[in-house]
Amino acid sequence: MTVLQSFRTTLQVVTDTPVLVAFALAFGAMGALNNASGLVSVVGTILLLFGSPALIGAFYTAIDGARPGTDTDLRASTAAQRYYVSLLGASVLSGLVIMVVAMVVGGGVVGYIGFDRLNAVLNGSASLTLVELAGGGAALAVLMAVVYVFTFFDTAVVFDGKTAGGSLSRSVDFVFGNFRQVVGYAVVATVATSVVDLPVLWFVTLDGATTVAGAVTAFQAPMSAVDIAVVAVASTVTTLVGRTYKVCFYRACTDDAPGADPVTTDGEWAA
């Protein structure tokens, strides 16, 4: 099965290619800066926006070159430059689409529950009913579905040579063309990363809060240097496994497609 075989390949690639940790660590460091407060947070946000495209191009190329039996060996430094503009544009476009959907879904939830009642829940003076919780869960499921529909835009740029706009369309086509496999991938990827993410979110980011009001307060409070370091390490681990799995899964699905071949647009391949 493609889903599980890709995950086994992921574990092999991660254990056999230590250099990938450096790429994941760079993502973790930028995320840590973004989680800080004040000017440091602004710097982290800027680095994430303008630094991630170069890192993604290089990281994905390195992952692809480490897969067993692969014949793609484009230099990571070349990939970082080649795909930068398309990855930056695609990141902005996908972010805007998801933001619009989130606003629509969030507005629907607020309209259903009521602003005053929702504010009371956040303040800890009221609690959601089971029906309201179900509605909120359904809204979150819709938002996550939209996120996954566009999640393969970056692999479409790096491995299919798509432009910013074309990568979003390619991601949609890929998801619906491999729907069952993508659902399986989503489940495995979520479980694998949640093993690290959820404990850190609960005990570090939310400070072990047991109420909605406590979680909101903890989330809004500035994080200590130790907490930021813990989040950075956790982000490094989940980035390493999550993005490697994404590449291995995407390549497994596209390699199985009729007539699929690696994209080589300008002949810049390492010797």
Side-chain angles (χ1 to χ4, degrees):
M1 184 178 180
T2 302
V3 172
L4 297 180
Q5 181 59 49
S6 297
F7 192 72
R8 284 193 289 268
T9 302
T10 295
L11 297 179
Q12 180 180 347
V13 169
V14 167
T15 54
D16 292 348
T17 319
V19 70
L20 297 181
V21 177
F23 293 102
L25 186 60
F27 277 107
M30 290 191 298
L33 292 176
N34 189 53
N35 282 319
S37 58
L39 182 60
V40 176
S41 177
V42 175
V43 172
T45 300
I46 294 174
L47 286 175
L48 278 174
L49 177 61
F50 295 104
S52 292
L55 268 177
I56 290 173
F59 192 18
Y60 285 12
T61 300
I63 293 169
D64 192 43
R67 290 187 308 124
T70 185
D71 58 358
T72 57
D73 55 357
L74 179 66
R75 292 186 181 91
S77 58
T78 302
Q81 301 173 49
R82 177 186 295 180
Y83 303 120
Y84 183 84
V85 174
S86 292
L87 284 170
L88 176 60
S91 297
V92 172
L93 284 176
S94 63
L96 288 174
V97 171
I98 292 171
M99 183 176 66
V100 170
V101 173
M103 291 175 63
V104 172
V105 172
V109 171
V110 173
Y112 173 68
I113 297 176
F115 181 80
D116 291 338
R117 177 164 170 71
L118 184 61
N119 189 52
V121 170
L122 295 178
N123 289 331
S125 58
S127 58
L128 295 174
T129 66
L130 289 178
V131 175
E132 290 169 340
L133 282 172
L140 180 61
V142 170
L143 180 59
M144 292 305 299
V146 172
V147 170
Y148 262 103
V149 165
F150 294 108
T151 195
F152 294 100
F153 74 85
D154 47 7
T155 50
V157 171
V158 177
F159 301 124
D160 296 331
K162 298 296 183 180
T163 59
S167 67
L168 300 187
S169 175
R170 168 59 180 151
S171 181
V172 173
D173 291 341
F174 175 80
V175 169
F176 287 103
N178 302 273
F179 189 76
R180 287 188 300 175
Q181 293 94 322
V182 170
V183 170
Y185 160 82
V187 171
V188 173
T190 300
V191 171
T193 55
S194 293
V195 170
V196 176
D197 281 340
L198 288 183
V200 172
L201 174 65
W202 184 260
F203 293 108
V204 178
T205 306
L206 300 182
D207 199 23
T210 56
T211 63
V212 174
V216 171
T217 300
F219 185 79
Q220 293 176 339
M223 296 179 66
S224 67
V226 174
D227 287 346
I228 291 174
V230 172
V231 171
V233 171
S235 177
T236 298
V237 174
T238 55
T239 296
L240 177 63
V241 175
R243 290 189 181 269
T244 302
Y245 183 36
K246 187 178 187 179
V247 169
C248 291
F249 173 75
Y250 188 86
R251 291 298 262 173
C253 289
T254 54
D255 286 350
D256 289 341
D261 283 308
V263 176
T264 58
T265 55
D266 57 7
E268 292 188 38
W269 298 87

